[in-house]
Amino acid sequence: MTRNVFVVGLNDYNAERLKTLRMVEDVVFHQLLTPAQVYETQEFDIPSMLAEAEATLDAFDGSIDAIVGYMDFPVSTMLPLLSRKYGTPNTSLESLLKCEHKFWSRKVMAEVIPDHVPAFTAFDPFDDDALSKIGESNLRFPFFVKPIKSSGSRLGFRIDSPEDFDFAVQKLRAEIGQISEPFNVVLDRADLPDDIRAIEGHYCMAERVIGGRQCTVEGYVHDGEVTLYGTVDSIRYPQVLSFFYYLYPSTLPRQVQDQMWKISRKVMKHIGYDNAGFNIEYFWDEVDDKIWLLEINTRIAQSHCDLFEMVDGVSHQQVTVDLGLGRKPDMPQRQGTQNVAAEFFYRVFFGDATAARVPSRAEIEVAAEQVEGTRIVSNLSKGMKLSELPEQDAYSFAVASVWMGAGTTSKLLWNYEQVMKRLNYEFTDIED
């Protein structure tokens, strides 16, 4: 009997990759909303998207066996609402928001893993006295600020001085509405405690700066059982907050990874998260041998799909599909063709600029051919301004992503250099 899986924001590339998963011979994958609606934009009309998705599902002449997605906001927050209406497996909206509402998430973490949570407070960026109120909470420079609903590294700032805070507040006031307004739509549909309801979508978090070697633990919960299946290192460019590449498997000491996995099981069990995938970002401070939990994401990391496919033999979209169908995920280990794999981010560190030249499709294909199995995605078109790119951090622009594998990490880095020599970007109207 055919089973129908609806994937929010499904694109052509992933439509083909999903067919390579295990135990999907009887599964038909259907697009639910287009990529342009859910991630190739910076404006999210959630009521309209939900209405269109529901109209599609209501009109479908067949069984609705799963409703899944593997992207961040707004997809992640819409899934529990759709699953609740159509009776497909997923975690509850409230348990999801205990992860995605960053203030609520920190409060819940502090209940069970206080030694791994930095000092934090919420603040209103539209309050002219916000900085003094942050100081009253005993947070001192330096600290980090971000929206209570962040997406990627967007609108995240390190604050070392009042001038830094003023700059961050100006950016937050100008742009936070793109996140806060749709997020408030979701909050209005949830059963929230009064103290959390008071921290609306336009609020921000201030947290003590934490650091060290950063990584992401990937896992899922099925029928109350928390399972972890991989740790991916997050390597930054020197002296900046922007990511250079994600590396799998992690090179962290095994005992550090084991401790992170133990913390992950404890916090996800406490939250009551169930029947869905997640990933948790951590720092390991080598000097003090201290583990800090940075944040919880209520989805698999799409950037890691190629990495798991190359090293373990299948994309961890396997986890998403299996859970959506109500079954325990069948995720293999070390059955891929590569020992290590990475996603590299080719970035430029401008205030803004215009793309005067970008690699052609043929040039990208030639560059990818330098190393077998390489996949390259260019994010720019000629004449496009860098500021038009969605989901960028506050310090750089990722103009291309490169996924590749190798036998060793050193060979992987050497391969990346050979590939990038073939890609030529040129910019005009450069702003420092």
Side-chain angles (χ1 to χ4, degrees), residues 322-348:
D322 283 342
L323 289 171
L325 290 169
R327 63 195 186 194
K328 184 175 176 63
D330 179 24
M331 194 66 197
Q333 288 280 307
R334 307 300 187 266
Q335 295 182 22
T337 59
Q338 306 293 337
N339 293 330
V340 296
E343 177 190 6
F344 293 91
F345 300 95
Y346 177 53
R347 296 182 182 272
V348 292

Side-chain angles (χ1 to χ4, degrees), residues 35-49 72-75 78 151 154 177-183 185 390-391:
Q37 290 173 287
V38 298
Y39 67 86
E40 294 174 358
T41 177
Q42 298 190 53
E43 297 184 7
F44 306 118
D45 185 345
I46 287 184
S48 176
M49 286 190 285
D72 201 350
F73 186 79
V75 173
M78 290 193 294
S151 181
R154 186 180 176 194
Q178 294 178 335
I179 300 175
S180 65
E181 292 176 12
F183 191 50
V185 171
E391 304 299 327

Side-chain angles (χ1 to χ4, degrees), residues 15 90 180 194 233 239 269 321 376 419:
N90 212 313
S180 65
D194 290 342
D233 288 340
Q239 308 304 315
K269 193 83 172 178
V321 172
I376 302 173
V419 169

Side-chain angles (χ1 to χ4, degrees), residues 344-347 376-379 397-402 420 423 425:
F344 293 91
F345 300 95
Y346 177 53
R347 296 182 182 272
I376 302 173
V377 173
S378 178
N379 302 324
F397 296 95
V399 301
S401 290
V402 180
M420 292 313 299
L423 296 181
Y425 290 87

Side-chain angles (χ1 to χ4, degrees), residues 25-292:
E25 296 82 3
D26 61 344
V27 172
V28 177
F29 294 100
H30 306 269
Q31 183 188 74
L32 187 63
L33 302 176
T34 67
Q37 290 173 287
V38 298
Y39 67 86
E40 294 174 358
T41 177
Q42 298 190 53
E43 297 184 7
F44 306 118
D45 185 345
I46 287 184
S48 176
M49 286 190 285
L50 284 171
E52 182 174 334
E54 290 170 4
T56 299
L57 293 167
D58 290 342
F60 183 69
D61 185 19
S63 62
I64 300 171
D65 300 290
I67 304 171
V68 303
Y70 40 80
M71 288 173 284
D72 201 350
F73 186 79
V75 173
S76 56
T77 47
M78 290 193 294
L79 290 174
L81 295 169
L82 293 169
S83 290
R84 182 170 62 188
K85 179 172 181 178
Y86 293 94
T88 59
N90 212 313
T91 197
S92 69
L93 178 61
E94 288 72 23
S95 65
L96 178 137
L97 290 173
K98 286 180 183 179
C99 304
E100 294 214 2
H101 187 298
K102 300 307 177 188
F103 181 68
W104 196 5
S105 186
R106 282 304 195 199
K107 288 194 69 175
V108 172
M109 292 176 201
E111 293 170 1
V112 288
I113 53 164
D115 292 342
H116 306 286
V117 179
F120 66 94
T121 190
F123 71 93
D124 183 348
F126 296 92
D127 181 354
D128 292 336
D129 294 325
L131 184 57
S132 61
K133 291 177 180 177
I134 290 172
E136 291 170 4
S137 72
N138 293 321
L139 270 177
R140 300 290 182 264
F141 299 126
F143 56 86
F144 200 80
V145 301
K146 59 185 175 183
I148 59 116
K149 176 64 200 104
S150 56
S151 181
S153 300
R154 186 180 176 194
L155 295 179
F157 303 89
R158 179 187 167 105
I159 308 299
D160 290 284
S161 67
E163 292 75 19
D164 286 346
F165 188 77
D166 289 343
F167 173 79
V169 163
Q170 290 175 17
K171 296 285 285 184
L172 287 162
R173 288 178 177 180
E175 300 180 28
I176 199 169
Q178 294 178 335
I179 300 175
S180 65
E181 292 176 12
F183 191 50
N184 278 335
V185 171
V186 176
L187 295 179
D188 287 343
R189 299 182 180 220
D191 182 12
L192 305 176
D194 290 342
D195 61 332
I196 300 303
R197 188 168 294 282
I199 308 299
E200 298 179 349
H202 72 274
Y203 270 72
C204 294
M205 292 286 290
E207 296 186 347
R208 171 188 164 189
V209 169
I210 53 179
R213 294 174 61 180
Q214 188 172 353
C215 69
T216 300
V217 171
E218 295 277 0
Y220 62 85
V221 189
H222 176 253
D223 289 348
E225 180 183 353
V226 182
T227 299
L228 295 314
Y229 57 86
T231 305
V232 179
D233 288 340
S234 303
I235 312 298
R236 297 181 185 270
Y237 281 86
Q239 308 304 315
V240 294
L241 294 174
S242 302
F243 290 116
F244 178 19
Y245 61 97
Y246 300 141
L247 177 69
Y248 179 67
S250 170
T251 58
L252 291 175
R254 185 67 254 175
Q255 66 269 24
V256 173
Q257 295 186 55
D258 289 344
Q259 181 65 9
M260 290 175 176
W261 287 28
K262 181 179 179 180
I263 295 167
S264 301
R265 292 187 185 96
K266 189 172 185 179
V267 72
M268 298 309 290
K269 193 83 172 178
H270 180 70
I271 285 171
Y273 194 83
D274 202 6
N275 295 316
F278 67 87
N279 67 76
I280 304 182
E281 299 175 51
Y282 287 96
F283 282 110
W284 175 50
D285 183 336
E286 292 180 85
V287 176
D288 295 331
D289 192 22
K290 180 77 173 179
I291 292 173
W292 296 106

Side-chain angles (χ1 to χ4, degrees), residues 378-414:
S378 178
N379 302 324
L380 284 175
S381 56
K382 185 176 179 180
M384 184 176 175
K385 292 182 71 69
L386 290 170
S387 55
E388 296 174 38
L389 290 169
E391 304 299 327
Q392 301 297 305
D393 66 37
Y395 303 97
S396 68
F397 296 95
V399 301
S401 290
V402 180
W403 290 267
M404 60 199 322
T408 65
T409 302
S410 59
K411 178 63 173 175
L412 185 68
L413 293 168
W414 188 87

